[in-house]
Amino acid sequence: MIKFLLKGIMGDKNRSLLPIIIVTIGVSLTVLLSGYIKGAMGDIIDQNARFDTGHVKVMTKAYAENKDQLPNDLAILGVDSLLQQLKNNYPEMNWVKRTKFGGIIDVPDANGETKGQGPASGMAFELFSKTSGEIKRMNLQTAIVKGALPTKSGEALIGQEFIEKLGLNIGDEVTYFGSTMNGSMTFKNFKVTGSIRFGTPALDKGAIIVDITDAQKMLDMENASGEILGYQPNEIYNDEKAKQLADSFNNSVGNTTDEYAPIMLPLKDQNNLASYLDYVDVYTGLFVTIFIIVMSIVLWNTGLLGGLRRYQEFGIRLALGEAKGHIYRTMIYEAVLIGVIGSILGSLVGLAFTYYMQVVGIDIGEMLENSSMLMPSVIRAKVTPSLFYIGFIPGLFAMVLGTALSGIGIYKRETATLFKELEV
Amino acid sequence: MNTIKLKFKATTFITIIFGSILISSAQDGIAILKKVDANMSSDTQISESQMIIHGKRNSRTVVSKGYAEGDKRSFSEYLSPAREKGTKMLKLEDRLWIYSPSTDRTIQLSGHMLRQSVMGSDLSYEDMMEDRKLEEMYTVKVVGEEIIQNRKVWILDMEANVEDVSYVKRKAWIDQERFVPLKEELYAKSGQLLKLVVMSEIEKIDGRWYPKKMNYKDALKDGKGTDFILTNIQFNAEIPQHLFSKAALKK
């Protein structure tokens, strides 16, 4: 039966070409846009995980409430023992301590007076640790534009845009000026070992990256740290596992009223990412539904035109004694086959474009010039396993629905008028 | 016709009465501000102070010695704790330099950086720098009377009449007898309350009433604010001119 229908589809191009083209276009657009939305969101989530949220993050409760203000006065004290405890209790995760800080980078002239300065977004990583994996996780080697990573105390990486603005060279000295954990003034000279570009304007303009031991000394945070970040194996985020881990940790801490007690938050519960992720699900669903409806209308119309052209064929088949239900069913089977062919072709075309967009991406850097959001400047699509089947939903469904609607006409066909048409 | 005339006369009378009340309250306000300025401002000032910064986890005390000449030039040196010892600040006109002995660097602060907190306190660099006479910066209205700290006070509403002020609006509670502010509310242009200052321990020093303790509270922060306590103050004392130079920072 399938072979017979396939022969019919292949043999009669007038019957199948237009529906296949429509399904192919619709499916390829669905695949491309789904891949682009997934890719963009994946990039944003990945960027947030690496720079800010981790897959889970441990902070004090008070710090968590004010974390946008980088409140290092509310940091975790005795961080080394807490870190060891996390490593012992949850060995499958990679745990690292991080501290973020804000202040001013001041560049001296030949007389040691201010030549230029700008606000600094400071980040302290475990750069000198061989086991932290922070250099790889943050793609620091790749992000370096000039120079090299700091290898000893008193060295720092500075954002490329800041270096360009002030005409700094590798090896020059800059002064960081800010507040310690206790609010005292702090000044520290750093030798610039390299310039860095993350592709995130908010960071590239004034980032200063130092080892956490330097930050701890500079900010009076001996054995203290703003945050502890946890990363799941292979750096792949699993929301369910992150939630379970956070629940398990928070239950182990108990229901304490101490505002400096540690609290663990999964990625999704930070930076409004839950709503972003929910939006993506809603919009992808909405997008696929709209495609199904629009394509169904188009295919219904195509089916009607095809039906009109095949009016005589249906008449003859009825005259030969074929049941109306049987004709209707064969049309649906035919639609399924056309839907499958169109969906396969559409998925191939869509995947090819998605892959192209994954490699090239769209540069939105200019739009982010004054943005402080943690977003990559090139938004890329991503080929995910779901793209291999997602196009079949609108492709098949719309084709079958369109045919089902247009095929209703068969039941209105009257045998009496048939003979008149055939001039028997 | 007579009714219209009567109404016109009544309106004119009311306008004149209200107008003269307003003018007289403005004049009273200016007179009050002049007396406040006479207490609070001087040609030169040498002071030793403690700044007790009440943090969330702990409190700490920063001791400093300051020299000021009018509202244009000032120099201060931090004496303790150890982390701050030797840090110096120099203000010349609207520019501020900070010298850090640990890095041997002199850093200039300007623009929005002057609104940053000084050493985690509730005072900004602008607060520390501003020493102009109120009378020169604000138009004033007396809007009421009250009793605070067991003292009868006038309540003054002030609006800036010059551009370069830190706070566009102020509300001050002025001791009616000693002409010292006992409380001040400092506002942004939008009407948002930014700081609350409570003055206490009013003492007569060199013939003028002066608050020896001020509590600054940043309205946008939690906590008990910052106590600024004067341990010693000399008015119109002679200050060596070399202090008001960048060279003095490194000495």
Side-chain angles (χ1 to χ4, degrees):
Chain A
M1 171 90 165
I2 293 173
K3 205 173 168 185
F4 174 77
L5 289 172
L6 258 177
K7 270 187 179 171
I9 291 167
M10 304 302 278
D12 183 2
K13 285 203 173 57
N14 289 331
R15 191 193 298 186
S16 53
L17 193 62
L18 189 62
I20 287 178
I21 288 172
I22 291 168
V23 173
T24 304
I25 292 170
V27 168
S28 56
L29 281 174
T30 308
V31 170
L32 175 63
L33 289 174
S34 299
Y36 195 71
I37 292 174
K38 292 266 182 211
M41 286 315 295
D43 279 354
I44 291 168
I45 286 164
D46 183 52
Q47 193 95 334
N48 274 277
R50 286 191 295 124
F51 280 98
D52 188 27
T53 62
H55 292 159
V56 291
K57 190 199 271 188
V58 181
M59 299 162 274
T60 66
K61 284 182 185 173
Y63 183 101
E65 278 170 24
N66 303 287
K67 70 185 176 66
D68 294 339
Q69 299 164 16
L70 309 181
N72 281 327
D73 54 327
L74 310 172
I76 305 166
L77 302 181
V79 70
D80 292 335
S81 62
L82 180 59
L83 193 63
Q84 197 50 53
Q85 195 185 318
L86 287 164
K87 282 178 179 171
N88 292 341
N89 294 348
Y90 310 104
E92 72 283 6
M93 300 280 290
N94 297 309
W95 297 100
V96 288
K97 51 187 176 184
R98 287 211 192 146
T99 293
K100 286 183 268 179
F101 51 95
I104 294 173
I105 304 172
D106 189 274
V107 182
D109 62 13
N111 301 319
E113 289 189 17
T114 298
K115 180 173 84 174
Q117 62 182 209
S121 313
M123 282 185 285
F125 300 120
E126 293 180 38
L127 291 180
F128 301 157
S129 155
K130 288 197 169 60
T131 54
S132 73
E134 288 282 74
I135 293 173
K136 192 177 167 207
R137 180 172 300 120
M138 301 302 296
N139 293 331
L140 289 178
Q141 288 285 15
T142 338
I144 287 180
V145 182
K146 278 190 287 185
L149 282 166
T151 52
K152 57 178 190 285
S153 176
E155 294 183 339
L157 290 172
I158 303 281
Q160 172 66 18
E161 284 184 36
F162 194 79
I163 280 204
E164 281 170 11
K165 192 175 127 196
L166 295 171
L168 275 168
N169 292 311
I170 307 303
D172 285 354
E173 204 164 72
V174 295
T175 304
Y176 169 81
F177 163 49
S179 298
T180 68
M181 178 179 169
N182 303 314
S184 297
M185 274 186 209
T186 183
F187 300 82
K188 186 163 173 62
N189 290 338
F190 285 101
K191 185 178 162 194
V192 181
T193 61
S195 67
I196 197 150
R197 180 181 280 137
F198 289 116
T200 303
L203 294 174
D204 296 341
K205 277 179 195 165
I208 175 166
I209 293 171
V210 299
D211 185 72
I212 196 144
T213 51
D214 269 346
Q216 284 178 319
K217 266 186 231 154
M218 180 173 85
L219 305 172
D220 282 350
M221 292 176 78
E222 301 289 344
N223 200 10
S225 175
E227 303 165 352
I228 296 175
L229 268 57
Y231 290 91
Q232 290 168 335
N234 302 320
E235 308 282 318
I236 296 166
Y237 180 61
N238 181 322
D239 187 44
E240 208 173 309
K241 283 189 179 165
K243 256 187 203 160
Q244 282 170 3
L245 179 71
D247 288 345
S248 146
F249 176 82
N250 294 333
N251 288 335
S252 75
V253 175
N255 195 10
T256 168
T257 50
D258 178 9
E259 60 176 330
Y260 300 109
I263 183 173
M264 187 185 285
L265 294 178
L267 173 144
K268 213 178 164 182
D269 290 353
Q270 301 174 57
N271 296 5
N272 294 325
L273 288 172
S275 52
Y276 277 116
L277 290 169
D278 292 343
Y279 274 135
V280 172
D281 287 345
V282 168
Y283 281 113
T284 312
L286 198 69
F287 181 69
V288 171
T289 312
I290 290 170
F291 255 78
I292 290 173
I293 294 168
V294 172
M295 279 170 58
S296 297
I297 293 167
V298 175
L299 290 168
W300 174 17
N301 203 29
T302 315
L304 279 175
L305 290 170
L308 279 175
R309 204 181 54 76
R310 296 170 71 186
Y311 214 49
Q312 217 168 45
E313 175 201 328
F314 296 146
I316 293 166
R317 285 166 71 178
L318 284 172
L320 289 172
E322 201 174 338
K324 285 180 176 176
H326 186 259
I327 297 174
Y328 190 79
R329 277 198 298 279
T330 55
M331 272 187 72
I332 298 290
Y333 294 149
E334 216 175 82
V336 171
L337 283 173
I338 291 172
V340 169
I341 294 166
S343 299
I344 291 171
L345 290 174
S347 294
L348 288 174
V349 174
L351 282 166
F353 277 114
T354 310
Y355 180 71
Y356 176 76
M357 293 301 289
Q358 181 175 302
V359 176
V360 178
I362 296 176
D363 192 344
I364 57 160
E366 280 184 18
M367 285 161 67
L368 297 173
E369 260 177 11
N370 298 314
S371 162
S372 57
M373 259 184 88
L374 215 51
M375 274 185 76
S377 57
V378 177
I379 300 283
R380 297 171 196 277
K382 189 168 173 78
V383 176
T384 59
S386 66
L387 296 189
F388 287 86
Y389 61 80
I390 198 162
F392 283 80
I393 302 167
L396 262 174
F397 194 80
M399 186 64 208
V400 172
L401 189 67
T403 309
L405 290 170
S406 61
I408 293 167
I410 291 169
Y411 288 97
K412 291 179 182 162
R413 193 89 169 95
E414 293 299 331
T415 323
T417 54
L418 174 70
F419 292 96
K420 200 178 157 193
E421 281 170 25
L422 293 174
E423 294 171 351
V424 178
Chain B
M1 183 70 183
N2 278 345
T3 324
I4 293 169
K5 260 189 182 172
L6 203 65
K7 271 187 182 170
F8 177 74
K9 275 184 182 170
T11 316
T12 316
F13 178 72
I14 289 165
T15 312
I16 289 166
I17 292 291
F18 269 100
S20 45
I21 287 170
L22 281 176
I23 290 165
S24 88
S25 91
Q27 278 176 343
D28 287 351
I30 290 166
I32 293 166
L33 274 196
K34 277 190 175 166
K35 287 182 180 170
V36 171
D37 283 334
N39 268 329
M40 305 293 288
S41 297
S42 55
D43 290 342
T44 63
Q45 219 178 69
I46 301 176
S47 61
E48 282 169 37
S49 61
Q50 288 180 350
M51 195 158 68
I52 304 169
I53 303 156
H54 301 288
K56 271 211 157 192
R57 277 176 162 157
N58 50 33
S59 293
R60 58 198 187 90
T61 304
V62 179
V63 179
S64 66
K65 185 165 187 179
Y67 304 82
E69 192 180 86
D71 62 313
K72 303 282 187 233
R73 307 204 291 177
S74 72
F75 178 89
S76 46
E77 179 174 1
Y78 290 86
L79 308 174
S80 73
R83 197 176 233 290
E84 266 87 17
K85 193 176 177 186
T87 301
K88 292 169 193 162
M89 282 189 202
L90 170 70
K91 173 200 161 187
L92 296 177
E93 302 285 337
D94 56 352
R95 289 172 300 168
L96 181 75
W97 289 268
I98 300 175
Y99 171 74
S100 122
S102 62
T103 56
D104 194 26
R105 284 287 325 278
T106 303
I107 289 174
Q108 188 183 346
L109 287 190
S110 53
H112 70 280
M113 287 312 305
L114 296 172
R115 286 185 209 130
Q116 299 293 310
S117 144
V118 180
M119 298 188 178
S121 71
D122 291 55
L123 276 91
S124 68
Y125 293 105
E126 267 181 347
D127 291 332
M128 305 250 317
M129 285 169 71
E130 193 157 278
D131 196 23
R132 278 160 78 179
K133 288 183 177 172
L134 293 170
E135 180 206 342
E136 291 170 7
M137 298 189 286
Y138 294 96
T139 53
V140 61
K141 248 192 261 175
V142 181
V143 292
E145 290 184 23
E146 213 176 279
I147 291 179
I148 58 168
Q149 295 177 27
N150 290 324
R151 309 285 307 178
K152 211 171 171 195
V153 293
W154 283 298
I155 305 169
L156 304 190
D157 262 359
M158 289 181 259
E159 280 213 34
N161 53 16
V162 286
E163 289 285 314
D164 54 337
V165 285
S166 309
Y167 305 102
V168 174
K169 290 176 195 165
R170 291 171 102 114
K171 194 169 184 180
W173 282 255
I174 308 291
D175 187 319
Q176 290 192 3
E177 196 183 324
R178 300 180 297 193
F179 293 94
V180 177
L182 298 183
K183 192 168 107 175
E184 272 195 281
E185 287 174 355
L186 311 175
Y187 294 88
K189 200 174 182 178
S190 61
Q192 161 88 49
L193 175 65
L194 297 174
K195 290 216 173 118
L196 179 71
V197 192
V198 175
M199 289 81 166
S200 56
E201 295 178 19
I202 316 293
E203 285 182 21
K204 199 160 200 176
I205 306 165
D206 290 347
R208 61 174 82 207
W209 291 103
Y210 205 85
K212 289 192 79 178
K213 184 177 175 185
M214 293 174 229
N215 178 272
Y216 280 79
K217 173 83 187 71
D218 188 330
L220 309 173
K221 273 193 204 169
D222 294 333
K224 289 192 281 181
T226 298
D227 290 327
F228 190 84
I229 299 165
L230 279 167
T231 49
N232 188 16
I233 187 160
Q234 297 169 52
F235 297 103
N236 300 320
E238 202 168 312
I239 299 172
Q241 287 303 296
H242 69 81
L243 275 183
F244 301 119
S245 69
K246 282 196 268 176
L249 288 168
K250 288 198 176 190
K251 277 181 187 166

